[in-house]
Amino acid sequence: AGEDRNGENNEFQQTVADQRATQTILKKVVDRLNQFYEKKEALLQAGGRQDPTPGADAPPPPPGFKEYKKKEGGNKVMSMIEDIIAESQRLENEAVQAENDAQAAYEDFVKSSNKQVAALQQEISDKTATRADAKQEKTQAEQDLKGTNGELKKLTEYRAELHGECDFVMDNFEIRQSMRTEEINGLKDAKAMLSGMR
């Protein structure tokens, strides 16, 4: 967009320079033609008087001469040149207005782009912070998982140990029960004997 704007501005500068150069040249032409026609008119006016008296009426033109008037052709040329100057000024004004409009549009575009860039940078910053938080949570979760897996391994080992003990108790239950029964019976016999001794 900046390169396009620079190109448009360069084109504008060239157009304005061309139109101003055209106007300057044509104004010089008009001034030169005005000087020429005024000089010619003055020479024609002065040529008919012998001794001009200030404030005296100009003598009538000699017979066969018409009153001096500017040539119509000269006026047409002057008018055409003045029209070209006016057209050149109009083109310059249009170019200036178009440049102002384009500059305003470019400035609006730059402001809008800057707002969008700021919003996107803020979004990137927010997402980066969210990502960092998620990464930290992941690291914590991995550590928790590692600790849980360690505890689970210990519990599994303890379970196996308990299972072994329980299996021993279960496998030897009948033997131990019969031994306990014999022990109880022995104690009963001993008690009965001791009771009879009294």
Side-chain angles (χ1 to χ4, degrees):
E3 292 175 8
D4 291 343
R5 183 68 199 106
N6 286 339
E8 290 172 359
N9 185 270
N10 289 339
E11 185 177 329
F12 159 75
Q13 296 292 340
Q14 185 62 45
T15 300
V16 168
D18 290 348
Q19 295 307 317
R20 288 183 179 166
T22 299
Q23 292 169 28
T24 302
I25 291 169
L26 291 177
K27 284 179 184 177
K28 286 181 182 179
V29 168
V30 167
D31 289 343
R32 189 70 175 127
L33 287 174
N34 279 335
Q35 288 174 2
F36 174 76
Y37 285 123
E38 286 172 7
K39 186 176 180 183
K40 191 171 186 179
E41 184 178 343
L43 286 174
L44 289 175
Q45 294 287 335
R49 293 188 192 169
Q50 299 291 330
D51 188 17
T53 308
D57 289 335
F65 285 98
K66 296 179 182 173
E67 186 175 330
Y68 175 75
K69 293 182 183 176
K70 288 185 179 180
K71 288 190 178 180
E72 292 297 321
N75 282 338
K76 288 180 185 177
V77 170
M78 296 285 284
S79 177
M80 182 181 74
I81 292 173
E82 288 172 355
D83 288 345
I84 293 171
I85 291 172
E87 177 70 13
S88 177
Q89 288 172 338
R90 185 187 63 75
L91 288 173
E92 179 185 349
N93 292 340
E94 287 176 1
V96 168
Q97 184 61 43
E99 172 65 13
N100 291 339
D101 293 346
Q103 184 63 30
Y106 176 73
E107 289 172 3
D108 289 344
F109 172 75
V110 168
K111 286 178 186 176
S112 174
S113 295
N114 287 342
K115 285 180 184 178
Q116 288 177 344
V117 166
L120 290 174
Q121 286 176 337
Q122 183 61 43
E123 188 176 339
I124 288 170
S125 176
D126 293 345
K127 287 184 177 181
T128 301
T130 302
R131 182 173 181 243
D133 291 344
K135 204 171 189 181
Q136 185 177 5
E137 288 175 11
K138 179 185 173 203
T139 302
Q140 184 63 42
E142 286 173 347
Q143 289 175 351
D144 291 347
L145 178 64
K146 188 176 180 181
T148 303
N149 284 340
E151 284 182 35
L152 187 60
K153 183 178 178 183
K154 287 179 184 176
L155 288 173
T156 302
E157 290 171 358
Y158 182 64
R159 178 180 169 253
E161 188 179 311
L162 284 178
H163 198 286
E165 289 177 12
C166 287
D167 285 347
F168 176 76
V169 169
M170 292 300 287
D171 289 344
N172 296 315
F173 179 74
E174 302 223 359
I175 296 171
R176 289 180 72 197
Q177 191 173 14
S178 66
M179 286 175 76
R180 294 277 182 243
T181 303
E182 286 177 18
E183 196 177 314
I184 290 172
N185 288 337
L187 285 173
K188 282 183 184 177
D189 289 341
K191 184 178 173 187
M193 272 200 316
L194 288 174
S195 303
M197 284 177 77
R198 293 189 195 179

